[in-house]
């Protein structure tokens, strides 16, 4: 089991490096010396959906316990117009004997499309029998492939609380939507 866990940790690190490398390479290839294309790229770069609901499914590895469990992560993020930043909230449930739950704020940064990084300080709790809220911190990175309003891609997560550290590598599925302006005019 320890060998598999070590391989998973190395796999997550390799995936993060691979995603980062591919993102940088794609970003470099898309840039060009022409100023107009660069401006269009910048506009496109900040053209993510204003609102996003996401879900991540992943096996979760607890480092201290050396155990695997199933984890489900849900989040809502509001992406500020014409910026690379977003803010929202998230919930994580790990289906283990401890009934691990975490809620927190989510700060999102999109250095360039389609890569996002989420930082989430929050509170972790374990079951109703052992209710002791504690500080938790999650760091998540996703590489998204967009299909109209949906996006899908690999997700890697590092999470900390005083009880343990957990790592996960899974699949992110999201739905993006934008608030529509009110087109009805009031008549007097």
């Amino acid at each position: 089991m320890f060998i598999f866990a070590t391989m998973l940790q190395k796999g997550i690190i390799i995936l993060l490096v691979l995603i980062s490398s591919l993102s940088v390479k794609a970003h470099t290839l898309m840039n060009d010396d022409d100023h107009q294309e660069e401006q269009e790229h910048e506009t496109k770069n900040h053209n993510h959906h204003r609102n996003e609901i996401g879900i991540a499914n992943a096996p979760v590895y607890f480092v201290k316990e050396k155990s695997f469990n199933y984890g489900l992560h849900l989040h809502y993020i509001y992406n500020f117009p014409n910026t690379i930043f977003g803010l929202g909230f998230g919930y994580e449930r790990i289906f283990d004997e401890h009934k691990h739950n975490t809620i927190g704020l989510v700060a999102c940064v999109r250095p360039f499309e389609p890569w996002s990084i989420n930082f989430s300080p929050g509170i972790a709790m374990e079951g109703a029998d052992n209710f002791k809220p504690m500080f938790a911190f999650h760091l998540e990175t996703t590489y998204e492939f967009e299909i109209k309003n949906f996006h899908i891609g690999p997700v890697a997560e590092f999470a900390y609380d005083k009880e343990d550290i957990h790592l996960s590598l899974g699949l992110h599925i999201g739905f993006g939507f934008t608030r529509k302006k009110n087109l009805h005019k009031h008549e007097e």
Side-chain angles (χ1 to χ4, degrees), residues 1-14 58-63 65-70 167-169:
M1 183 62 99
F2 177 73
I3 292 171
F4 183 71
T6 303
M7 289 172 48
L8 178 67
Q9 289 172 340
K10 289 179 182 176
I12 289 173
I13 291 169
I14 290 169
V60 177
Y61 177 70
F62 284 92
V63 175
E65 288 187 5
K66 296 181 172 70
S67 66
F68 282 93
N69 294 287
Y70 169 71
L167 308 168
S168 62
L169 180 61

Side-chain angles (χ1 to χ4, degrees), residues 97-110:
E97 67 220 32
H98 305 293
K99 299 177 183 170
H100 182 91
N101 293 280
T102 303
I103 56 172
L105 294 174
V106 177
C108 178
V109 63
R110 296 179 185 281

Side-chain angles (χ1 to χ4, degrees), residues 47-66:
N47 195 21
H48 199 76
H49 291 100
R50 188 167 297 160
N51 298 282
E52 173 188 319
I53 297 172
I55 182 171
N57 290 290
V60 177
Y61 177 70
F62 284 92
V63 175
K64 289 181 184 174
E65 288 187 5
K66 296 181 172 70

Side-chain angles (χ1 to χ4, degrees), residues 140-151:
E140 176 183 293
T141 185
T142 304
Y143 191 89
E144 301 170 336
F145 298 93
E146 288 194 27
I147 304 166
K148 298 199 178 195
N149 289 344
F150 292 93
H151 46 269

Side-chain angles (χ1 to χ4, degrees), residues 20-33 41 112:
S20 297
S21 298
L22 288 173
S23 297
V24 169
K25 184 67 175 170
H27 184 65
T28 303
L29 290 173
M30 289 170 34
N31 279 332
D32 158 315
D33 291 334
H41 176 73
F112 48 87

